[in-house]
Amino acid sequence: MEKSIENIWKEGFESEAKLSSPVISNLYKKKSKLVIQQINSKSKKDNLSLIPVALIIFGILAFMGEMIIGIYAVILITTLFFVNKEMLKDLETVDTKDNTYSYLLNYKNQVKKIMKYSTWIAGFGLPLAILPAYWMFFEDSKIMAKFNTLHLGMEILIVMGLALLLSAIAILGYRLSTQVVYGSLLEKLENTIEDMEELMET
């Protein structure tokens, strides 16, 4: 990662004739480097925070006597951790052979790709994973007993409605958390790219 970041800012601007001013080059080199490093640092810390979350949830469920659901939750969250880790590796594989502007543009596109994929996980993956946990939690309860007396069509409608509700909540939660954690940094990245484009047009 160091090689990809350092090389692009040491060599990238040398190939940009329209950004040839040493002062401007140095300004955007420092600004871009800071933004990229902050995004990478926050994304890694954000993903690592899933580990203590998994342990806390397991502890709470185990205390409630729901050991199986606790283990299930740990498996789900740990899987999400490794999926995120693999996606974040894509940021390190962004091609650094082009100039700095192209690198930043490719980096932004890769971030958007990760966010789009994460939205799909939140919207479809989490409801599919959480519904079985609900079933295990309410098994042998009065709620489940009453549910089993319903017509099959009504049961399907309830499950689908619950899945849609969970999907909406998960997507909204993901987008809000992303805006809170990364909003200002992504805006800085976008502004840096726009500034460079304006300078290249003049």
Side-chain angles (χ1 to χ4, degrees), residues 69 72 76 126-138:
I69 301 178
Y72 180 71
L76 289 180
L126 289 183
L128 290 175
I130 292 175
L131 284 175
Y134 277 8
W135 179 82
M136 287 187 287
F137 186 82
F138 290 107

Side-chain angles (χ1 to χ4, degrees), residues 20 39 43 48 54 86 94 122 135 189:
S20 58
I39 292 175
S43 60
L48 282 173
E86 288 301 312
V94 176
W135 179 82
L189 177 62

Side-chain angles (χ1 to χ4, degrees), residues 12 31 37 50 60 66 103 118 128 135 151 158 182 190:
K31 184 178 180 180
Q37 287 180 334
L50 290 174
I60 293 174
E66 301 291 346
Y103 174 78
S118 297
L128 290 175
W135 179 82
H151 188 273
I158 292 175
Y182 302 101
E190 184 66 34

Side-chain angles (χ1 to χ4, degrees), residues 23-184:
V23 176
I24 295 177
S25 174
N26 187 57
L27 173 64
Y28 282 100
K29 176 170 61 178
K30 291 181 179 179
K31 184 178 180 180
S32 302
K33 180 178 180 179
L34 178 61
V35 173
I36 296 296
Q37 287 180 334
Q38 287 178 327
I39 292 175
N40 289 338
S41 177
K42 276 198 173 185
S43 60
K44 290 179 179 179
K45 290 179 181 178
D46 190 23
N47 193 42
L48 282 173
S49 68
L50 290 174
I51 302 302
V53 168
L55 295 176
I56 291 172
I57 291 177
F58 175 77
I60 293 174
L61 290 171
F63 179 77
M64 295 172 60
E66 301 291 346
M67 184 68 71
I68 295 178
I69 301 178
I71 294 174
Y72 180 71
V74 169
I75 292 174
L76 289 180
I77 297 174
T78 303
T79 301
L80 182 60
F81 167 78
F82 284 108
V83 170
N84 288 341
K85 187 176 181 180
E86 288 301 312
M87 288 194 295
L88 292 176
K89 286 182 179 180
D90 292 340
L91 294 178
E92 302 178 16
T93 61
V94 176
D95 189 5
T96 61
K97 295 180 181 178
D98 296 327
N99 56 47
T100 306
Y101 168 73
S102 296
Y103 174 78
L104 292 179
L105 199 60
N106 291 334
Y107 187 90
K108 184 191 78 169
N109 291 335
Q110 190 62 51
V111 169
K112 292 175 69 174
K113 180 180 177 182
I114 291 174
M115 291 175 64
K116 182 179 179 180
Y117 186 72
S118 297
T119 301
W120 277 90
I121 292 177
F124 292 93
L126 289 183
L128 290 175
I130 292 175
L131 284 175
Y134 277 8
W135 179 82
M136 287 187 287
F137 186 82
F138 290 107
E139 187 181 16
D140 298 327
S141 68
K142 292 182 179 180
I143 294 177
M144 185 59 69
K146 187 174 182 180
F147 176 79
N148 290 332
T149 63
L150 297 175
H151 188 273
L152 178 61
M154 182 59 68
E155 291 181 349
I156 293 175
L157 285 176
I158 292 175
V159 171
M160 289 181 63
L162 182 59
L164 290 173
L165 178 61
L166 289 172
S167 178
I169 293 174
I171 291 175
L172 180 61
Y174 170 72
R175 290 182 175 177
L176 287 175
S177 63
T178 299
Q179 181 61 35
V180 171
V181 177
Y182 302 101
S184 61

Side-chain angles (χ1 to χ4, degrees), residues 3-14:
K3 185 174 183 291
S4 60
I5 291 178
E6 294 298 330
N7 285 355
I8 196 63
W9 274 283
K10 286 180 180 179
E11 303 171 4
F13 278 98
E14 295 177 4

